[in-house]
Protein backbone atom coordinates (compact mmCIF):
# COMPACT_ATOMS: atom_id res chain seq x y z
CA UNK A 1 0.00 0.00 0.00
CA UNK A 2 1.74 3.12 -1.25
CA UNK A 3 0.80 6.54 0.11
CA UNK A 4 2.06 9.95 -1.03
CA UNK A 5 3.03 12.55 1.57
CA UNK A 6 3.48 16.13 0.32
CA UNK A 7 4.89 19.30 1.78
CA UNK A 8 4.51 22.77 0.28
CA UNK A 9 7.26 25.36 0.45
CA UNK A 10 8.03 28.74 -1.00
CA UNK A 11 10.99 30.83 -2.05
CA UNK A 12 11.57 34.12 -3.83
CA UNK A 13 14.46 34.25 -6.26
CA UNK A 14 15.80 36.22 -9.21
CA UNK A 15 17.08 34.75 -12.43
CA UNK A 16 17.91 35.40 -16.03
CA UNK A 17 17.44 32.85 -18.80
CA UNK A 18 20.65 33.02 -20.76
CA UNK A 19 23.24 30.84 -22.46
CA UNK A 20 26.80 32.10 -22.32
CA UNK A 21 27.57 30.41 -25.65
CA UNK A 22 24.82 32.35 -27.48
CA UNK A 23 24.91 35.97 -28.57
CA UNK A 24 22.75 38.52 -26.76
CA UNK A 25 20.58 38.65 -29.88
CA UNK A 26 19.96 34.89 -29.87
CA UNK A 27 19.29 34.86 -26.11
CA UNK A 28 16.81 37.68 -26.56
CA UNK A 29 15.17 35.91 -29.51
CA UNK A 30 14.74 32.60 -27.66
CA UNK A 31 14.10 33.76 -24.09
CA UNK A 32 12.47 37.16 -24.69
CA UNK A 33 11.90 39.25 -21.55
CA UNK A 34 13.21 36.37 -19.43
CA UNK A 35 16.68 37.14 -20.81
CA UNK A 36 16.66 40.71 -19.42
CA UNK A 37 20.30 41.36 -18.41
CA UNK A 38 19.12 43.01 -15.18
CA UNK A 39 17.35 39.84 -13.99
CA UNK A 40 13.76 39.47 -12.77
CA UNK A 41 12.12 37.72 -9.84
CA UNK A 42 9.59 34.97 -9.22
CA UNK A 43 7.62 33.79 -6.21
CA UNK A 44 8.32 30.08 -6.57
CA UNK A 45 5.92 27.62 -4.99
CA UNK A 46 7.24 24.15 -4.41
CA UNK A 47 5.48 20.85 -3.71
CA UNK A 48 7.69 18.00 -2.58
CA UNK A 49 5.91 14.63 -2.72
CA UNK A 50 7.27 11.43 -1.23
CA UNK A 51 5.61 8.09 -2.02
CA UNK A 52 6.24 4.81 -0.25
CA UNK A 53 4.97 2.10 2.03
CA UNK A 54 3.52 3.05 5.41
CA UNK A 55 5.95 2.05 8.16
CA UNK A 56 4.24 -0.58 10.33
CA UNK A 57 5.55 0.84 13.60
CA UNK A 58 5.15 4.60 13.09
CA UNK A 59 2.29 4.65 10.60
CA UNK A 60 4.34 7.18 8.59
CA UNK A 61 5.67 7.04 5.03
CA UNK A 62 8.09 9.78 6.10
CA UNK A 63 8.23 11.99 9.18
CA UNK A 64 6.93 15.29 7.73
CA UNK A 65 9.09 17.26 10.19
CA UNK A 66 12.14 15.53 8.70
CA UNK A 67 10.92 16.42 5.19
CA UNK A 68 10.29 20.01 6.26
CA UNK A 69 13.85 20.29 7.64
CA UNK A 70 15.38 18.89 4.43
CA UNK A 71 13.42 21.37 2.28
CA UNK A 72 14.51 24.23 4.51
CA UNK A 73 18.19 23.26 4.37
CA UNK A 74 18.42 22.22 0.73
CA UNK A 75 16.01 24.64 -0.94
CA UNK A 76 14.86 27.57 1.20
CA UNK A 77 18.22 28.36 2.82
CA UNK A 78 20.01 27.83 -0.52
CA UNK A 79 17.64 29.68 -2.91
CA UNK A 80 15.41 32.12 -0.99
CA UNK A 81 16.14 35.80 -1.78
CA UNK A 82 19.06 34.76 -3.98
CA UNK A 83 20.01 35.53 -7.53
CA UNK A 84 20.07 31.99 -8.89
CA UNK A 85 22.51 32.73 -11.75
CA UNK A 86 24.99 34.57 -9.56
CA UNK A 87 24.67 33.15 -6.05
CA UNK A 88 23.68 29.50 -6.42
CA UNK A 89 26.59 27.31 -7.60
CA UNK A 90 24.36 24.73 -9.33
CA UNK A 91 23.33 27.40 -11.88
CA UNK A 92 26.78 28.78 -12.59
CA UNK A 93 26.75 26.92 -15.92
CA UNK A 94 23.11 25.79 -16.01
CA UNK A 95 20.30 27.95 -17.35
CA UNK A 96 17.90 28.44 -14.37
CA UNK A 97 14.66 27.51 -16.15
CA UNK A 98 11.86 26.07 -14.02
CA UNK A 99 12.73 22.69 -15.52
CA UNK A 100 16.36 22.87 -14.40
CA UNK A 101 15.44 24.26 -10.97
CA UNK A 102 13.10 21.29 -10.42
CA UNK A 103 15.86 18.83 -11.40
CA UNK A 104 18.39 20.55 -9.12
CA UNK A 105 15.92 20.42 -6.21
CA UNK A 106 15.25 16.73 -6.90
CA UNK A 107 18.97 15.95 -6.96
CA UNK A 108 19.51 17.76 -3.65
CA UNK A 109 16.63 16.09 -1.80
CA UNK A 110 16.73 12.53 -3.21
CA UNK A 111 20.01 11.47 -1.51
CA UNK A 112 18.56 12.54 1.88
CA UNK A 113 15.68 10.07 1.61
CA UNK A 114 15.61 6.33 2.15
CA UNK A 115 16.30 4.72 -1.25
CA UNK A 116 12.93 2.97 -1.42
CA UNK A 117 11.00 6.27 -1.32
CA UNK A 118 9.82 7.80 -4.61
CA UNK A 119 10.28 11.58 -4.91
CA UNK A 120 8.39 14.03 -7.10
CA UNK A 121 9.12 17.74 -7.35
CA UNK A 122 6.46 20.16 -8.60
CA UNK A 123 7.63 23.73 -9.05
CA UNK A 124 5.34 26.67 -9.82
CA UNK A 125 7.16 29.59 -11.42
CA UNK A 126 3.88 31.52 -11.69
CA UNK A 127 0.42 30.52 -10.45
CA UNK A 128 -0.32 29.12 -13.92
CA UNK A 129 3.06 27.77 -15.03
CA UNK A 130 4.53 24.74 -13.33
CA UNK A 131 6.80 21.80 -14.01
CA UNK A 132 7.21 18.35 -12.46
CA UNK A 133 10.18 16.02 -12.17
CA UNK A 134 10.44 12.60 -10.59
CA UNK A 135 13.84 11.37 -11.69
CA UNK A 136 13.05 9.72 -15.00
NI1 LIG B 1 11.61 34.09 -15.19
Amino acid sequence: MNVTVSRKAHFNAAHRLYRKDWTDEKNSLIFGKCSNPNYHGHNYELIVSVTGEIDKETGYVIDIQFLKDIIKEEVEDAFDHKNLNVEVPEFKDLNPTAEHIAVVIYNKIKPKLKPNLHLEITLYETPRNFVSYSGK
Side-chain angles (χ1 to χ4, degrees):
M1 187 167 58
N2 276 325
V3 175
T4 300
V5 175
S6 297
R7 167 92 190 167
K8 282 186 177 176
H10 173 84
F11 59 95
N12 299 316
H15 74 166
R16 176 192 185 192
L17 300 186
Y18 177 77
R19 287 190 64 103
K20 289 175 188 169
D21 57 335
W22 288 357
T23 62
D24 286 350
E25 290 72 25
K26 182 161 183 186
N27 276 294
S28 178
L29 183 68
I30 301 297
F31 298 122
K33 286 193 295 187
C34 290
S35 193
N36 173 4
N38 292 320
Y39 304 96
H40 64 275
H42 291 283
N43 295 314
Y44 290 97
E45 296 285 346
L46 175 67
I47 301 172
V48 177
S49 295
V50 176
T51 302
E53 291 282 333
I54 298 176
D55 183 274
K56 286 188 175 60
E57 286 184 316
T58 63
Y60 288 161
V61 171
I62 186 171
D63 182 338
I64 200 110
Q65 184 64 45
F66 174 72
L67 186 59
K68 177 185 170 187
D69 291 346
I70 293 173
I71 295 168
K72 180 178 186 308
E73 285 165 26
E74 299 297 333
V75 182
E76 293 168 354
D77 290 352
F79 295 176
D80 191 36
H81 286 76
K82 298 284 175 66
N83 179 318
L84 298 177
N85 302 70
V86 173
E87 296 177 276
V88 178
E90 285 86 352
F91 301 108
K92 187 172 176 289
D93 296 306
L94 185 67
N95 201 15
T97 59
E99 291 89 329
H100 280 153
I101 298 169
V103 171
V104 166
I105 291 171
Y106 178 95
N107 288 337
K108 294 185 84 174
I109 292 177
K110 188 71 173 76
K112 307 280 177 174
L113 305 178
K114 288 179 185 155
N116 57 334
L117 293 173
H118 177 265
L119 174 65
E120 181 169 51
I121 302 298
T122 303
L123 181 70
Y124 285 76
E125 193 168 72
T126 73
R128 291 169 190 272
N129 297 343
F130 61 99
V131 302
S132 300
Y133 180 63
S134 57
K136 294 188 186 86

